[in-house]
């Protein structure tokens, strides 16, 4: 193991996430593909190994410190970009059935390639806007867990994400340093989309020590027929 892998394995183990050598190899391959493809398309501004493992891989997996993934079988990751947080979670918790939705087809092609190269099963990559995909019966009110990291402010994001969560499921939104104002602003959209704010968890990244928050919203009942509105509107005119 190199020094990055050593701290990665140890910090995760402290949180009850044990990695096998196969899983470590999958992270290594993912890292190499991310850097390689990043030369031909814009996937991430972070390419140094240590930083990718901390700010992308560890940060993504931190969701599992607060939401017990052993009890979850289906995840939808909205605006996954280069695969965060769902692919690191899938590597650590192989039982998950993952659906990734992103509106940029090039990123979906990258993700499909990563899934094949890592030999991951039960990962479906869907190209489209969340507003349109959430109208399809196969995806609407279906998922036990919906995730989104760095996609939009919560007031608009709720309308992209909550329609995917089934009754009794949760939407976990991964945020940075100070989400209080955003959470306040999002109260109306949470209620309109049949959610209930249940928790705001805080953690610090192990080296950078920067603050992260995970906002957990439970889905109380099915999505009202009028949501999500036409593609573009949720972020342009958020429910506030
Ligand atoms: N979640 C990743 C992360 O944490 O690194 C990527 C974040 S990136 C800033 C936002 C992603 O959301 C982009 O890949 C973009 O294509 C996607 N996106 C933005 N609006 C979307 C929408 N309405 N439906 C689906 N994907 C969307």
């Amino acid at each position: 193991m190199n020094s990055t892998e050593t701290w990665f394995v140890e910090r995760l183990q402290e949180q009850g996430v044990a990695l096998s050598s196969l899983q470590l190899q999958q992270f290594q391959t993912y890292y190499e593909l991310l850097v390689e493809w990043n030369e031909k398309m814009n996937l991430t501004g972070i390419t140094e190994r240590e930083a990718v493992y901390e700010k992308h891989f560890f940060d993504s997996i931190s969701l599992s410190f607060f939401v017990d993934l052993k009890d979850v079988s289906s995840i939808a990751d909205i605006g996954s970009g280069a695969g965060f947080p769902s692919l690191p979670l899938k590597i650590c918790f192989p039982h998950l059935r993952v659906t990734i939705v992103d509106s940029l087809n090039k990123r979906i092609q990258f993700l499909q390639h990563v899934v094949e190269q890592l030999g991951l099963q039960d990962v479906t990559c869907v190209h489209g806007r969340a507003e349109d995909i959430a109208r399809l019966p196969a995806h609407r009110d279906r998922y036990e867990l919906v995730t989104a990291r760095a996609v939009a402010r919560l007031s608009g994001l709720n309308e992209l994400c909550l329609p995917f969560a089934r009754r009794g499921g949760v939407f976990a939104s991964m945020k940075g340093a100070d989400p209080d104002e955003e959470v306040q602003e999002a109260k109306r959209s949470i209620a309109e989309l049949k959610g209930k704010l249940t928790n705001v968890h805080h953690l610090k990244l192990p080296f950078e020590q920067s603050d992260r928050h995970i906002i957990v919203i439970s889905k109380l009942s099915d999505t009202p027929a009028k949501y999500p509105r036409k593609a573009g509107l949720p972020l342009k005119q958020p429910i506030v």
Side-chain angles (χ1 to χ4, degrees), residues 42-44 55-56 59-60 77-86 101-105 107 111 126-133 147-152 157 160 164 174 231-232 234-235:
N42 178 20
L43 289 168
T44 176
K55 293 181 196 171
H56 285 324
D59 186 40
S60 294
D77 187 20
I78 310 306
S80 187
F84 307 123
S86 53
V101 178
D102 201 286
S103 52
L104 214 60
N105 199 29
R107 295 200 174 126
L111 293 172
V126 181
H127 171 227
R129 296 181 80 154
E131 298 93 316
D132 300 323
I133 307 300
T147 59
R149 191 188 80 152
V151 178
L157 192 59
L160 300 189
F164 288 88
M174 305 186 78
L235 300 190

Side-chain angles (χ1 to χ4, degrees), residues 104-123:
L104 214 60
N105 199 29
K106 281 195 161 181
R107 295 200 174 126
I108 290 293
Q109 284 166 2
F110 165 72
L111 293 172
Q112 242 143 14
H113 183 71
V114 172
V115 166
E116 280 160 25
Q117 294 298 307
L118 269 53
L120 301 175
Q121 306 290 316
D122 291 323
V123 179

